[in-house]
Amino acid sequence: MDVPAAAPRPAERMSTADIREANVAAVCGALRDHGGLTRAQLGRLTGLTRPTVMAVVRQLAAEGLVVEEGQLKAAAGGGRPGTLLHFRPRARVVSAVRLRSARVEVTLADMAGNVLAHSLAPAAPEPGDWRELVASFAERVTALRDTHPDLGPLAAVALTLPGSIDRARGRWTVVRSEGWSDLPAADELAGMLGVPVAVVNVVAATLIGRLAQEPAAADSAALVYVGHGVGSAATVGGRLIDGATGSAGELGHCVLPGVDALCRCGRRGCVESVASAPHLRAEFERITGRPAPPTLAGMEACGDAAVLGMLDLAAHRLALAASWQVNVVNPAVVYFGGNVFTDGGTRFFERFAEELRALAYRPNAAGLAVRPLSSEATVRGAIQVASELLPSFLRPALRVVC
Ligand SMILES: [Zn+2]
């Protein structure tokens, strides 16, 4: 029994099971990072002995995670030929499930985060029993998985729901359906599918999705999200901030001075009451007397000076609230957007970025990167969250929640 060079802990503190898991992780990691390798190359890369490499490869092959394919030819310098081993990212699949505007969107991805299949269907009409809604999610995931028999078994799921989520407790905490509150949605779906399930709110999923593509920014990042509501998410030390009740990031319910608009939370002056998509669209209709375009980009394109002034004021108010977040959390990068409503709204983004840099405390604003973020990040983030639920030796290198 030996310990790979990259073992996370000193050997004297590791149990036999720990050592075995570290050996498996080292072999999987080498194959994922380098592609096809012979057993001899695996031994050199991991520092493991040949018998250990052989045993680990046997175990991984039995689980379908590693396959033999192709031969390494003898090198001119005397390198030994050998059968090449490959990691199979499709040996397990993860699923992202999103309930959005009465529709259920299901995505299947492999362990490298590649999307393999997608379905979109009307959600079950909201019944009296929330378990029926969760059961419909399980049916959609199983149906999509069953149409792709070439893929490995489902291994983990991330569920994105509207309203509020307590990710750490796996609960859907603020549900707008009457009589529903604090629902153990993750445990319910996990019981139905027989795999681990995480719930994650749409804003956090969107930030995580961006970080999955830009891991260098994961240590200290924030997102300001504008859609039906206004929200934010942030990482500190590479980890998502959840808060005591999972409600960290409620930027939309920070109260702005001098604003009297009634918010759907029942209070007055919230950021959300003057910067959300429904508010901006209603203002567009009030100013122009015409139906509002569905996106910020569409509103900007109308060129009406009063509309642009209204959008500039909203960008300023949003930047003011975000500047408090920047001062408190001190992120290296702030992303803006993440919803189809904000996709392509370049003028609004530029105003927001400019005002944010001007309003934040100078040491926090110096070097602060402010970048637009597309709505495509959300599903990628849910896939990342599901991937972080895989057995430790199969998890991705980036770990934001687990
Ligand atoms: Zn509010």
Side-chain angles (χ1 to χ4, degrees):
M1 195 76 54
D2 46 2
V3 181
R9 287 189 277 157
E12 60 271 22
R13 289 197 212 147
M14 294 178 77
S15 68
T16 306
D18 286 341
I19 294 170
R20 196 176 301 124
E21 186 168 317
N23 292 346
V24 172
V27 169
C28 273
L31 288 172
R32 290 177 83 159
D33 291 348
H34 297 274
L37 294 170
T38 63
R39 287 167 175 80
Q41 288 174 321
L42 271 173
R44 280 197 294 278
L45 272 168
T46 59
L48 298 173
T49 61
R50 188 168 174 79
T52 301
V53 169
M54 303 281 272
V56 170
V57 166
R58 229 176 359 255
Q59 177 196 332
L60 293 172
E63 294 179 33
L65 292 161
V66 163
V67 285
E68 293 187 340
E69 193 178 298
Q71 292 284 320
L72 181 73
K73 293 188 177 67
R80 283 193 297 175
T83 304
L84 290 170
L85 300 159
H86 302 264
F87 182 75
R88 288 183 65 230
R90 293 184 176 203
R92 302 286 184 275
V93 293
V94 298
S95 180
V97 180
R98 182 176 183 186
L99 176 64
R100 180 188 195 186
S101 309
R103 291 193 300 180
V104 185
E105 202 175 336
V106 177
T107 306
L108 295 181
D110 67 14
M111 289 185 280
N114 300 306
V115 171
L116 306 170
H118 184 259
S119 73
L120 186 62
E126 287 191 0
D129 185 351
W130 62 273
R131 287 181 184 84
E132 288 177 33
L133 183 63
V134 176
S136 75
F137 300 157
E139 280 165 27
R140 303 274 180 224
V141 172
T142 305
L144 187 61
R145 167 64 196 79
D146 288 350
T147 54
H148 295 80
D150 53 315
L151 302 177
L154 181 73
V157 175
L159 177 58
T160 304
L161 296 164
S164 294
I165 294 297
D166 185 342
R167 192 194 60 78
R169 293 167 57 239
R171 297 178 88 96
W172 195 3
T173 47
V174 179
V175 189
R176 296 200 175 87
S177 299
E178 211 171 316
W180 292 6
S181 68
D182 202 25
L183 308 177
D187 282 352
E188 187 72 16
L189 187 57
M192 290 172 180
L193 289 171
V195 299
V197 174
V199 287
V200 61
N201 81 53
V202 63
V203 185
T206 306
L207 175 62
I208 293 167
R210 184 68 191 98
L211 298 178
Q213 289 185 302
E214 195 178 5
D219 192 51
S220 173
L223 166 65
V224 174
Y225 182 98
V226 176
H228 191 70
V230 171
S232 72
T235 56
V236 170
R239 292 297 160 125
L240 180 73
I241 304 172
D242 289 302
T245 62
S247 280
E250 289 293 359
L251 191 72
H253 299 288
C254 293
V255 174
L256 290 164
V259 174
D260 190 49
L262 183 64
C263 180
R264 59 181 171 155
C265 76
R267 301 178 311 151
R268 289 190 175 274
C270 290
V271 172
E272 188 169 300
S273 68
V274 290
S276 65
H279 168 80
L280 298 178
R281 297 188 70 230
E283 282 293 282
F284 181 98
E285 289 175 9
R286 185 184 62 76
I287 293 167
T288 64
R290 300 200 308 269
T295 64
L296 259 182
M299 286 194 245
E300 290 175 359
C302 85
D304 182 309
V307 167
L308 296 178
M310 177 273 291
L311 293 176
D312 286 353
L313 176 60
H316 163 77
R317 285 167 161 168
L318 196 60
L320 176 60
S323 73
W324 301 336
Q325 186 181 25
V326 165
N327 290 358
V328 172
V329 177
N330 189 204
V333 55
V334 171
Y335 298 103
F336 169 80
N339 185 282
V340 285
F341 175 71
T342 43
D343 282 352
T346 48
R347 181 193 158 98
F348 190 98
F349 166 74
E350 280 161 16
R351 289 283 182 282
F352 169 81
E354 191 181 318
E355 296 261 356
L356 178 56
R357 288 199 188 91
L359 290 163
Y361 181 52
R362 196 168 299 167
N364 296 42
L368 175 70
V370 187
R371 295 180 194 151
L373 174 53
S374 121
S375 57
E376 293 163 1
T378 314
V379 70
R380 196 177 301 282
I383 290 167
Q384 169 71 26
V385 169
S387 302
E388 292 188 32
L389 297 177
L390 290 167
S392 58
F393 65 96
L394 296 176
R395 286 177 194 162
L398 177 71
R399 305 266 296 280
V400 183
V401 296
C402 281

